Amino acid sequence: MKTFKLISNTLFLASILLFGALANACSLNNKDKTRKTEVTESSADTDWFRDARFGMFVHWGLYSILGGSYNGHTLPDESLSHGKSWYSEWVQMRLEVPTKTYHDLAKQFNPVNFDADEWAREASLAGMKYLVLTSKHHDGFALWDSDVSNFDLGSSPCKRDLLGELATACRKYGLKLGFYYSHWQDWECEGGAQPDWEDKVQPSDAMFQKYWQKKSLPQVRELLERYKPDMLWFDTWSESCKEHITPKRRDELIDLIRSIKPDCLINGRICAYDPGPRVDYISAFDNEHPEKNLGRPWQTPATMYKSWAWHANDFNWKSSEQMIKLLVTNASLGGNYLLNIGPYANGKFPAPALRRLREIGAWLVANGESIYGTSPIDEIEAPSWGRLCKRANTRGTIIYAHVMDWENGTLAIPEKLGQAKSAMVLETGQKVELTQNGQAFIKPNGALDHNVATIKLIF
Ligand code: H79
């Protein structure tokens, strides 16, 4: 246990913020100079995040041992008052696991098959540019050996530095690294927020403050100092956090992060009902795909099936094609897609997840040019047949037309884009015929990808 250090919120911090703001204002976007710059007070450089478009989320912790079931019950189970959810990382609360039984799972957590290099390699092969791991979910278990809590990896048989291994592997594969940290709900700590259910007693403000100062802030500090993450992912989703996550505490947490690592990106769900202007990117709700560009860097956290963490009885796998379409749709609106994996407790990725990762990665090998570093076309509604992404540079404008439905085989190009000069299948370079006025392109002969075919239109 270490004593909590007060955060210095002084001239030093002010100068960092000022410097950050200036640096931001001066930085040129070398990818697409037509991008609009929004007026926010995010002081970190978000260009890498916007260009990345695709990341891996990983939900992994003690709950992975139970795999969505406990004591003859499996999620969702309506016979229990709060059992109606697929989210297996909530198993402790939803399937009413006694506290001691749940905490004893720490003695079993020994991921002998965890190979950080393999995780990072798979993420990279899938075309992902960053990886975000649950360092502590709502159950309160820290996936590292924490100085400020005994409910942590240090109390398990695993004596490895899992987060450190992951940080090294991510660096090797050129992936940015992020941590999910549950700053609001913490079911283990006396002052941590509890599920917002009528039958749960929430901690008083004084108790929450103790948790905040003795566990939440110091653990965020530990993560930043030890592992130097590129981004943090906080989780609130409704007004029910208002009692504990006040704008003052939100800002205190942002100040702490900026004072240690000013370029670490912070998500809007640090305070979902009022993220304020200082956060760096907006996280949509779980599996929510907005229909418009949110105007700031944004991202959808998404599942492959219904649960986030490993669930042995969740067979609702989305197809690779569905997920490619969601990635493309988000990209066309300026957003990222943070696709989740729920590894087994032993550290391995389940086969259905691996297959999907590799299929999406295979699509991106051929079509990545149409996704990474592209811009949305805000002023044009998506055509009925698919989605559009843009890349503009001094030589002209390229529009990537992602065809999701060939309709009658001649697809209209939205008039506002003007007349295209030429067109080709992005994957193969095969020329695609344009109508005489360059206002439509015609389905090329030969086999086209059954997923999403990308036509590169040059203007
Ligand atoms: O860590 C994962 C979840 O355990 C945690 N956030 C993700 C990233 C989370 N737990 N609960 N919630 C988020 C609130 C979820 C609310 C939901 Fe819905 C209700 C999900 C589905 C129905 C409303 C509608 C919000 C998204 C869609």
Side-chain angles (χ1 to χ4, degrees):
M1 291 285 216
K2 275 186 186 160
T3 42
F4 176 69
K5 286 183 208 153
L6 272 177
I7 309 150
S8 64
N9 182 7
T10 55
L11 275 177
F12 172 61
L13 179 63
S15 60
I16 285 175
L17 289 174
L18 181 64
F19 177 75
L22 288 174
N24 213 24
C26 299
S27 74
L28 279 178
N29 181 341
N30 60 6
K31 290 283 165 33
D32 182 346
K33 307 221 167 30
T34 66
R35 264 184 199 162
K36 282 182 230 149
T37 314
E38 307 85 26
V39 182
T40 64
E41 293 167 30
S42 155
S43 59
D45 181 358
T46 52
D47 275 1
W48 74 260
F49 177 84
R50 287 182 199 245
D51 291 342
R53 288 288 181 251
F54 192 28
M56 176 183 282
F57 214 175
V58 182
H59 275 66
W60 193 46
L62 298 186
Y63 39 78
S64 308
I65 297 172
L66 298 180
S69 295
Y70 173 70
N71 197 24
H73 296 276
T74 292
L75 288 168
D77 184 333
E78 293 191 34
S79 73
L80 299 170
S81 13
H82 301 290
K84 202 184 159 193
S85 165
W86 284 91
Y87 287 10
S88 76
E89 63 283 3
W90 278 70
V91 65
Q92 179 189 359
M93 287 293 156
R94 296 198 175 276
L95 294 186
E96 300 171 11
V97 184
T99 307
K100 181 166 184 329
T101 310
Y102 191 83
H103 287 189
D104 278 351
L105 291 175
K107 295 182 195 153
Q108 281 180 50
F109 190 74
N110 196 13
V112 289
N113 298 109
F114 169 71
D115 180 352
D117 199 86
E118 197 179 323
W119 283 22
R121 192 174 67 242
E122 290 296 345
S124 174
L125 285 173
M128 293 158 155
K129 306 292 184 193
Y130 56 107
L131 193 158
V132 182
L133 170 66
T134 48
S135 66
K136 185 197 89 171
H137 206 270
H138 306 331
D139 62 0
F141 182 77
L143 215 50
W144 74 99
D145 188 359
S146 171
D147 288 340
V148 296
S149 167
N150 290 325
F151 192 43
D152 67 345
L153 194 68
S155 68
S156 80
C158 174
K159 297 303 167 208
R160 292 160 62 184
D161 180 11
L162 304 177
L163 271 48
E165 290 176 24
L166 193 63
T168 304
C170 284
R171 238 170 276 132
K172 174 176 163 190
Y173 288 92
L175 299 172
K176 300 278 187 184
L177 174 67
F179 293 122
Y180 172 110
Y181 183 83
S182 180
H183 64 316
W184 166 50
Q185 297 216 16
D186 187 310
W187 307 331
E188 176 260 344
C189 194
E190 211 196 342
Q194 298 295 307
D196 45 342
W197 302 337
E198 279 165 17
D199 55 345
K200 290 276 176 205
V201 182
Q202 292 297 339
S204 67
D205 192 62
M207 281 164 68
F208 186 82
Q209 180 62 12
K210 199 170 159 197
Y211 153 74
W212 186 249
Q213 296 215 319
K214 300 275 184 204
K215 185 171 180 183
S216 201
L217 295 179
Q219 286 198 329
V220 172
R221 175 184 283 280
E222 282 184 345
L223 288 171
L224 288 161
E225 289 180 344
R226 290 193 199 172
Y227 305 113
K228 309 190 170 31
D230 302 292
M231 61 196 290
L232 286 168
W233 212 103
F234 298 105
D235 203 0
T236 63
W237 53 84
S238 67
E239 298 248 325
S240 62
C241 72
K242 239 177 173 165
E243 195 186 330
H244 300 113
I245 303 298
T246 56
K248 185 163 173 269
R249 286 204 177 102
R250 173 200 69 198
D251 287 343
E252 188 183 5
L253 180 50
I254 295 176
D255 287 346
L256 171 72
I257 299 161
R258 297 276 188 251
S259 74
I260 302 172
K261 197 165 186 299
D263 64 351
C264 177
L265 306 189
I266 302 168
N267 70 333
R269 277 168 72 167
I270 191 170
C271 186
Y273 71 89
D274 182 10
R278 295 174 67 199
V279 299
D280 304 299
Y281 65 102
I282 299 293
S283 292
F285 288 120
D286 303 9
N287 287 307
E288 185 199 31
H289 295 274
E291 285 171 13
K292 281 204 170 103
N293 180 0
L294 299 186
R296 300 167 72 168
W298 66 271
Q299 165 186 256
T300 297
T303 52
M304 280 205 186
Y305 48 18
K306 298 208 181 218
S307 179
W308 295 87
W310 164 241
H311 190 319
N313 291 284
D314 185 351
F315 304 116
N316 304 286
W317 293 93
K318 291 170 196 166
S319 69
S320 305
E321 182 171 347
Q322 273 175 293
M323 294 187 278
I324 289 168
K325 286 179 176 166
L326 291 169
L327 166 67
V328 166
T329 301
N330 274 21
S332 76
L333 297 171
N336 290 15
Y337 188 52
L338 183 66
L339 183 58
N340 183 71
I341 303 290
Y344 300 124
N346 71 9
K348 284 298 204 199
F349 286 178
L354 268 180
R355 173 160 78 85
R356 285 160 177 77
L357 282 180
R358 293 184 190 179
E359 284 174 354
I360 299 170
W363 185 85
L364 280 164
V365 165
N367 296 283
E369 182 192 318
S370 69
I371 299 292
Y372 306 120
T374 60
S375 299
I377 313 176
D378 291 330
E379 57 287 1
I380 291 175
E381 229 178 272
S384 57
W385 45 262
R387 296 287 182 273
L388 305 169
C389 291
K390 179 180 75 170
R391 186 186 303 280
N393 58 31
T394 43
R395 278 169 293 155
T397 301
I398 294 167
I399 305 282
Y400 299 98
H402 295 111
V403 184
M404 296 180 183
D405 180 356
W406 280 101
E407 297 180 349
N408 62 11
T410 302
L411 304 183
I413 299 168
E415 262 179 40
K416 272 194 188 164
L417 292 175
Q419 295 184 6
K421 288 193 206 113
S422 65
M424 68 175 89
V425 178
L426 176 61
E427 179 171 11
T428 59
Q430 182 187 2
K431 206 169 172 337
V432 172
E433 216 182 315
L434 290 165
T435 53
Q436 269 187 347
N437 60 4
Q439 218 64 76
F441 57 93
I442 298 161
K443 182 178 182 173
N445 290 328
L448 271 180
D449 205 302
H450 69 282
N451 288 314
V452 177
T454 308
I455 306 299
K456 183 173 177 174
L457 298 162
I458 297 166
F459 286 82

